[in-house]
Each structure stands twice: as C-alpha cells, then as structure tokens.
C-alpha cells in the first residue's frame, strides 16, 4: 500500500467511525437460559462472550436446530463416566455420538467431557484413553477442549469421597491425576481442559498449577462469580431452559479475547526512508480491508531497530482490541558469497564487505533442517567446523547492526551458497565373516558417501594396492591364502556441488587373518558301549580342535562338544545303540581372539 493511499483511507476510517453509534461495554447481561441478570468480572470486559450448554443422556434427545436458533453458540457433550461405586466401572454415554453430530451439524462449537472418579494416576490415564478411543473419528468436529470433570459423588460412600476422607489421596495427587488425563489428551492433538466447582478448585486442586496449562471451566451457581483463578467458561446454573431440550439444562458463559489474529511480519531491509510493510490483517481467520475495517499507526519505522504497526478496528470491528505487531528494520543482504576451502568436515567461505555492517553472523543448515549459528566475526571470511561428512549445506553471512545494545541481523540473501563437505575418514572397520580363502570387511556407513575404495597391503612392495570399490559399507575380499594375515585400508568418495568427485581421508590400517585349514575326519567308531572314538587329520599351527557329536545330522539336537589338544580322542555318548554324527574343526588362538576353521564333513556311526 502506498503512503498517500493509507492516509486517505485513515481519514475515511475516522469519519466512518464517528458516524457509528456509540455503545459502552455492558458488564452485566441477561442470559438466554434464565430471567436473571449476571455480572461479569471486569477482566473480561474486552472479551467476546457467548452462551452454551453441556449435555448428557440425562437431557434426552436434543433438537439441535431449535437449540441453535434460540441463540446457543456451543455445546459440551459428555462421553461417559466412571461409576462412583467401589468397582469404578467405566460407562459410555448412550447419546454422545448423536449429540456431537447433531450439535456440529447445527453449527455449534463442540467440546466433550468425562465425569471422573479417578483415585489413581493409572485410572485417570485409563479414562483419557477411553475418551480418545471414542472421539478419534470426530477430531474435525471437536474444536473446544476435552474436559476432565473432577467432582465428588452425591453420596458420601462414593469412591472418590472415601479416598479423600481416608487420606489415600490429597490435593497434590488429585492435581497430578488431572494433569495425567489432560496430557494424554494433548498428546493426541486435542485441546485439554478441567471442569470443577469453585470450591473443588480451591480445596481439592492446585488450580494455579492448572490454569496456565489447560482450559479452565468453573462451576459457580450465582449471578456473579468471585472465583479467583483464570477461566474461560463459567457454568452459572444447572436450571436453565431452552427450546429444543425438555427440562433443565446446565448453562454457561464462555469468554474469548476479541483480538485480531496473530501474524508474523518478516524483517525489513533498511532503506533510509519510512517502511510500512505489506501484511494481511485477519479476524477469526477472515481477511479484513484496510481503511474499511481497520487502520494502522506505524512507529519508529525509518531507522535501524524495532519498529511497530498498531492495528485499530473501525466500523464493524471497532470493538476489537488494538493489536500491535512488531518488526525489525535490519541491514540489507550480504552479497558475493564464495567457497575458499573445503577440508574434512570444515568449510571456509568469504563474501563482499557490507558498507554498514559492524560484523557478521555466520550460519548454516542442511536443506531439511533449521539454521545453526556458527559464530560471529568482523572479518569477511569464516571457517565453519564440526560438520557432517559428505553432506550438503546452505551457508550465509548476515550483516550485524547494533541499536541501543541490541544486535539486529540483516535479511537473508536471495540465494544461500550451497556447499557439500568431503566424506570423513572411514572408521569402525571389522571382519563380519571369514573363510580360509576370504575375509568380508565391514565399516561404519557414511550418509552421503557415493562409494568406498578398498585397498590391500602388498607384503612384497609394502604398498597398498586398490582391490575395488563398492556402494555398500562392506566388501568381500576373495582369493586369499589360508591362515594368513592381511592388512587393509578404506576411503570414502562423495560428489560435491560442482559434480566433481572428492575423497575423505583414508582409514587407519586394519589387519586380520583368514581361517585355518579344515581338518578331515579319518574315522569315528564305537567299539565299547556308549563310547565314540574319533580321529582326524592334523592342521599345521593349530592350537587345538573342537570335537562335536549329535544325534542330528544338522547338529541341532542332543549336541555336545569338547576342545582337545591331541588326537585321536574318545568321548562318551548319552545313548547306547544310538545313531550319532561326529565332526571336528581346528582353532588357533592369537592373543584374546580365537580363529576357527570350517567344520569337517561329519561321520555317521551307531554306538554299541
């Protein structure tokens, strides 16, 4: 909007406002449910006020169209209750579906509540889950909170009454149970609220610990409530009457702040002239018209620092509170960002000097994360460290201007500099599998690495030679000699923003052995009851052998084994005249590690 247009609209708005009839705020009102006049607390003078009901199956079938036509704006529907007998049975309100759907269809705002008799935290959570399971399909229809209705039963034998009287629960515990219910509701995406009488809040709940976390609905049957805490709904009678409902109905006032919608105004680049940013003013989600529905008053909107715009409603919106929106006037964007050096997990970049900058804020992010501040500098070059390898980053420098001790950071450049780090040094190399002629290597995977190059030490030349590459974080080295040590290195490769391939630092050396040679079973015989005698070929360099016998050819049942140094060797089987399979493997101990050969082909026999 141009300045001249704003001024003209402002004058028209003022003229229109003076022509509108003047009406003072009434602190009393007559309810549509009773013939009485009610006085509202002064703190709600600027709030929008509406009237509504709360219903259960005790109210019978409701004609919601008539209720809406009579002026009712909202309804809070009971989902169910916990019985106040010792059993504490959970019971569903038989009309809750009909009431939710009917109220919503008629155009009322809808909330729900559950009558609780919870005497443990687990019961409060159980009640919340009971409600949530029944309202999940009504998420779009329930725009008011889910209320925890906490009150004593009308008889002294009620389970909550008895728990309070015998001291098994107290104010602290009951407050904790209330929070447990409400937090379970909030975790599922619903608004949460608490219903209780004025005296219940005072005597049985720490109401000051609830009012800043949940919506408060207070019951106080009077023509003026002196409840001290914050609240958004006041239930003022249980004896209201309205068309569409037979008999009495609980009646309520709801208070909502009458304010323009929140909106964020982006930082504005300093120009040296007055800045009035374009932004949309809304009330309850509906866009308003400048000069017809509101006018604006800018302040401090020329120089660096925090400026503001105050929105004042006129005509149909003259009863709305003025709302002030702040925004910052900051340095213009830094230009000329370019890469200086790429090293490991560090990136150094530079930019052109900014004429009015006192310094620069450097920050970075990945394409899917939020900005991270790397630091501030008075130079026009910065080295960002501690980044992840083979990862794309957006980097930028923002000019800094200080006003009254507060730093203001400049607007973002039109495009951030995109840079990709080199892969990091490969770590975590280990052997995941081995045979007498192969070793399968595995290492820690690097997100963003495109491939890995594997090298093996040539024992004759003492040089590492490239074996091959893989896109995976493992590699099978084959064609090796039995029971031989081999040494390897691995490095990662990635693609940078220019399309070129770059490499991370090569890993430390990793050494391991292939498996020993597999012994061959010469024989396995039984010449005495229960006894099995076995013999096998010798394996050069073996520390020992593991002999195993089983009644299963796959060695899955009734298997036993023993480690031995000499051969042949005799073991005692569990069965006489049984069918047995016998196999053997060699092993070599090197330090704390044991290397096994493959198992030999098994021999089959029957014990005597």
């Amino acid at each position: 909007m141009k300045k001249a247009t704003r001024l003209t609209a402002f004058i028209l708005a003022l003229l229109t406002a003076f022509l509108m009839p003047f009406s003072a705020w009434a602190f009393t009102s007559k309810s549509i449910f009773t013939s009485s006049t009610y006085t509202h607390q002064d703190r709600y003078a600027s709030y929008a006020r509406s009237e509504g009901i709360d219903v259960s199956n005790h109210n019978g079938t409701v004609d919601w169209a008539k209720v809406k036509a009579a002026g009712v704006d909202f309804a809070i529907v009971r989902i169910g209750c916990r019985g106040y007998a010792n059993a504490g049975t959970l019971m569903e309100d038989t009309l809750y579906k009909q009431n939710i759907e009917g109220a919503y269809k008629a155009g009322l705002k809808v909330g729900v509540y559950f009558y609780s008799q919870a005497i443990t935290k687990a019961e409060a959570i159980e009640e919340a889950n009971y409600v949530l399971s029944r309202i999940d399909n009504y998420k779009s229809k329930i725009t008011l909170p889910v209320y925890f209705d906490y009150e004593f039963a009308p008889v002294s034998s009620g389970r909550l009454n008895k728990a309070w009287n015998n001291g098994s629960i107290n104010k602290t515990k009951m407050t904790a149970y209330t929070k447990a219910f409400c937090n379970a509701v909030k975790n599922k995406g619903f608004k949460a609220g608490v219903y209780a009488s004025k005296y219940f809040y005072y005597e049985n709940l720490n109401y000051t610990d609830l009012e800043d976390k949940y919506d408060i609905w207070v019951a106080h049957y009077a023509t003026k409530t002196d409840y001290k805490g914050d609240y958004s709904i006041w239930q003022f009678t249980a004896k209201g009457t309205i068309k569409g409902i037979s008999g009495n109905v609980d009646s309520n006032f709801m208070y909502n702040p009458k304010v323009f919608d929140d909106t964020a105004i982006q930082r504005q680049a300093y120009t040296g002239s007055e800045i009035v940013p374009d932004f949309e003013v809304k009330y309850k989600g509906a866009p308003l018209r400048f000069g017809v529905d509101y006018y604006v008053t800018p302040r401090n909107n020329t120089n660096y620092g925090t400026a503001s715009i105050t929105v004042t409603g006129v005509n149909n919106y003259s009863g709305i509170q003025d709302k002030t929106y702040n925004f910052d006037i900051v340095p213009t964007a830094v230009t000329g960002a370019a890469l200086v050096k790429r090293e490991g997990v560090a990136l150094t970049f530079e930019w052109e000097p900014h004429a009015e900058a006192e310094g620069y804020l450097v920050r970075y992010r990945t394409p899917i994360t939020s900005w991270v501040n790397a630091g501030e500098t008075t130079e026009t070059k910065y080295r960002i460290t501690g980044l992840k390898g083979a990862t794309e980053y957006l980097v930028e420098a923002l000019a800094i201007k200080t006003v009254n001790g507060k730093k203001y950071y400049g607007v973002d450049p039109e495009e951030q500099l995109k840079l990709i780090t080199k892969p990091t040094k490969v770590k975590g190399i280990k052997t995941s599998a081995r045979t007498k002629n192969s070793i399968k290597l595995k290492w820690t995977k690097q997100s963003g690495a495109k491939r890995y190059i594997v090298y093996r030490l040539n024992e004759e030349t003492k040089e590492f030679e490239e074996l091959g590459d893989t896109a995976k974080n493992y590699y099978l080295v084959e064609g090796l000699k039995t029971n031989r040590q081999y040494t390897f290195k691995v490095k990662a490769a990635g693609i940078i923003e220019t399309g070129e391939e770059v490499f991370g630092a090569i890993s430390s050396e990793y050494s391991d052995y292939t498996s020993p040679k597999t012994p061959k079973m010469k024989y396995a015989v039984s010449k005495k009851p229960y006894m099995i005698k076995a013999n096998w070929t010798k394996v050069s360099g073996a520390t020992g052998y593991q002999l195993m016998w089983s009644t299963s050819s796959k060695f899955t049942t009734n298997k036993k084994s023993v480690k031995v140094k000499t051969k042949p060797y005799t073991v005692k089987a569990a069965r006489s005249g049984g069918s047995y399979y016998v196999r053997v493997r060699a092993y070599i101990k090197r330090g704390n590690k044991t290397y096994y050969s493959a198992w030999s082909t098994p021999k089959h026999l029957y014990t005597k």
Side-chain angles (χ1 to χ4, degrees):
M1 301 177 195
K2 295 182 179 178
K3 188 175 180 183
T5 305
R6 290 179 182 275
L7 182 60
T8 303
F10 171 57
I11 295 171
L12 288 173
L14 284 177
L15 290 173
T16 306
F18 280 117
L19 294 174
M20 292 291 291
F22 177 81
S23 60
W25 175 267
F27 294 99
T28 62
S29 66
K30 184 172 287 189
S31 170
I32 61 174
F33 300 106
T34 69
S35 58
S36 300
T37 297
Y38 296 86
T39 302
H40 307 281
Q41 293 190 12
D42 290 349
R43 55 177 153 164
Y44 298 116
S46 62
Y47 284 48
R49 187 179 66 253
S50 58
E51 293 190 68
I53 57 177
D54 54 280
V55 296
S56 68
N57 56 11
H58 297 299
N59 296 103
T61 300
V62 178
D63 187 330
W64 288 104
K66 289 183 178 180
V67 168
K68 174 65 176 176
V72 177
D73 186 63
F74 67 92
I76 305 176
V77 176
R78 189 178 74 162
I79 297 298
C81 63
R82 185 185 290 276
Y84 50 77
N86 289 334
T89 304
L90 297 179
M91 295 176 285
E92 185 180 90
D93 190 297
T94 57
L95 294 179
Y96 85 86
K97 293 180 183 179
Q98 181 177 317
N99 283 332
I100 290 175
E101 292 170 353
Y104 178 80
K105 185 177 180 181
L108 279 73
K109 299 181 183 70
V110 181
V112 299
Y113 75 95
F114 183 89
Y115 174 85
S116 174
Q117 285 283 290
I119 57 176
T120 66
K121 181 178 179 180
E123 285 189 349
I125 294 173
E126 179 189 26
E127 292 172 354
N129 290 332
Y130 185 87
V131 174
L132 291 167
S133 67
R134 284 157 176 77
I135 65 174
D136 187 58
N137 292 334
Y138 298 105
K139 208 161 194 175
S140 63
K141 295 179 172 65
I142 298 172
T143 55
L144 298 181
V146 177
Y147 290 95
F148 184 61
D149 175 3
Y150 218 5
E151 55 185 289
F152 290 117
V155 294
S156 59
S157 60
R159 66 199 311 266
L160 187 62
N161 308 57
K162 290 192 296 184
W164 175 266
N165 291 331
N166 65 28
S168 60
I169 60 172
N170 53 33
K171 181 184 285 191
T172 300
K173 288 183 178 180
M174 293 178 76
T175 303
Y177 305 160
T178 302
K179 289 180 178 180
F181 179 99
C182 290
N183 290 339
V185 166
K186 289 175 70 175
N187 289 339
K188 290 298 182 179
F190 290 93
K191 298 175 185 176
V194 184
Y195 168 91
S197 72
K198 163 188 166 182
Y199 301 103
F200 199 95
Y201 277 121
Y202 288 167
E203 301 298 326
N204 305 100
L205 295 171
N206 293 318
Y207 68 91
T208 57
D209 195 27
L210 299 173
E211 61 189 17
D212 62 339
K213 300 178 180 69
Y214 317 112
D215 197 85
I216 300 299
W217 177 13
V218 62
H220 184 198
Y221 296 161
T223 56
K224 181 177 181 178
T225 180
D226 57 357
Y227 177 64
K228 295 180 291 186
D230 291 333
Y231 58 95
S232 61
I233 301 180
W234 167 27
Q235 187 185 82
F236 56 87
T237 183
K239 296 182 178 180
T241 58
I242 200 76
K243 290 181 180 179
I245 297 178
S246 299
N248 293 330
V249 64
D250 294 343
S251 307
N252 308 266
F253 290 114
M254 178 186 289
Y255 305 95
N256 287 307
K258 198 174 182 182
V259 296
F260 296 104
D261 295 352
D262 289 333
T263 189
I265 303 178
Q266 299 297 319
R267 292 173 294 169
Q268 302 292 307
Y270 173 78
T271 63
S273 301
E274 182 184 64
I275 297 174
V276 181
D278 286 324
F279 70 104
E280 193 169 44
V281 177
K282 293 182 178 180
Y283 178 66
K284 293 184 177 181
L288 303 186
R289 298 163 297 173
F290 177 76
V292 177
D293 302 321
Y294 71 93
Y295 66 88
V296 298
T297 305
R299 293 182 180 86
N300 305 318
N301 64 332
T302 302
N303 298 315
Y304 286 109
T306 299
S308 67
I309 286 182
T310 300
V311 175
T312 301
V314 295
N315 298 330
N316 293 334
Y317 299 92
S318 59
I320 302 177
Q321 289 181 325
D322 287 2
K323 191 175 184 72
T324 298
Y325 302 90
N326 294 325
F327 64 95
D328 292 337
I329 300 176
V330 301
T332 55
V334 169
T335 59
L339 175 69
V340 174
K341 189 175 183 180
R342 191 189 329 261
E343 49 180 333
V345 289
L347 294 168
T348 302
F349 76 108
E350 62 184 0
W351 53 91
E352 295 176 357
H354 189 286
E356 299 189 27
E358 301 166 358
Y360 303 91
L361 169 68
V362 177
R363 60 184 192 170
Y364 64 90
R365 66 178 178 89
T366 71
I368 61 172
T369 61
S370 301
W371 287 106
V372 176
N373 292 340
E376 296 183 8
T377 179
T378 56
E379 305 293 327
T380 56
K381 183 169 69 175
Y382 195 89
R383 182 173 181 264
I384 304 174
T385 60
L387 304 175
K388 293 182 179 180
T391 301
E392 179 182 318
Y393 287 95
L394 301 175
V395 300
E396 67 177 13
L398 304 179
I400 300 173
K401 191 79 173 178
T402 304
V403 179
N404 297 326
K406 180 181 176 181
K407 291 181 179 180
Y408 291 85
Y409 300 100
V411 296
D412 296 320
E414 290 186 6
E415 290 187 9
Q416 286 80 28
L417 179 63
K418 181 176 79 172
L419 300 172
I420 300 177
T421 53
K422 289 183 178 182
T424 58
K425 182 178 180 179
V426 172
K427 296 181 180 179
I429 303 176
K430 62 182 179 180
T431 300
S432 63
R434 67 166 58 80
T435 70
K436 64 181 180 180
N437 300 119
S438 68
I439 292 176
K440 187 176 183 180
L441 299 171
K442 191 174 183 179
W443 51 86
T444 303
K445 184 177 182 180
Q446 289 191 39
S447 176
K450 299 302 180 183
R451 67 184 183 115
Y452 302 90
I453 302 94
V454 181
Y455 302 86
R456 186 180 74 198
L457 179 66
N458 185 317
E459 294 294 343
E460 293 181 1
T461 64
K462 303 301 180 184
E463 298 288 338
F464 278 90
E465 299 174 348
E466 184 175 334
L467 288 178
D469 69 335
T470 175
K472 307 292 185 181
N473 63 321
Y474 53 82
Y475 188 86
L476 179 63
V477 185
E478 299 180 288
L480 305 179
K481 294 182 179 180
T482 301
N483 194 27
R484 180 73 65 86
Q485 184 183 47
Y486 292 91
T487 302
F488 306 94
K489 286 184 178 182
V490 183
K491 71 178 179 183
I495 306 297
I496 59 173
E497 65 280 354
T498 60
E500 301 173 81
E501 186 175 54
V502 294
F503 301 95
I506 199 163
S507 71
S508 302
E509 294 182 6
Y510 173 78
S511 298
D512 205 357
Y513 288 83
T514 52
S515 299
K517 183 179 179 181
T518 304
K520 293 181 180 180
M521 289 291 298
K522 291 182 177 180
Y523 60 79
V525 296
S526 178
K527 296 182 178 180
K528 296 179 181 180
Y530 297 99
M531 307 307 290
I532 298 174
K533 184 177 181 180
N535 198 6
W536 54 89
T537 59
K538 182 180 179 180
V539 173
S540 177
T543 304
Y545 304 89
Q546 184 179 15
L547 185 66
M548 181 177 288
W549 60 101
S550 171
T551 58
S552 165
S553 62
K554 294 184 179 181
F555 292 83
T556 55
T557 57
N558 301 319
K559 68 178 181 181
K560 288 190 175 182
S561 69
V562 63
K563 285 186 175 181
V564 301
K565 300 286 187 180
T566 60
K567 62 184 188 67
Y569 197 85
T570 302
V571 297
K572 185 176 181 180
R575 297 178 182 178
S576 175
S579 172
Y580 277 90
Y581 295 85
V582 183
R583 65 182 182 179
V584 69
R585 66 178 177 177
Y587 68 88
I588 297 175
K589 288 187 69 69
R590 293 187 174 93
N592 295 326
K593 197 168 183 179
T594 302
Y595 293 83
Y596 291 92
S597 73
W599 288 103
S600 68
T601 302
K603 292 286 187 179
H604 181 237
L605 73 150
Y606 290 92
T607 55
K608 285 188 173 292

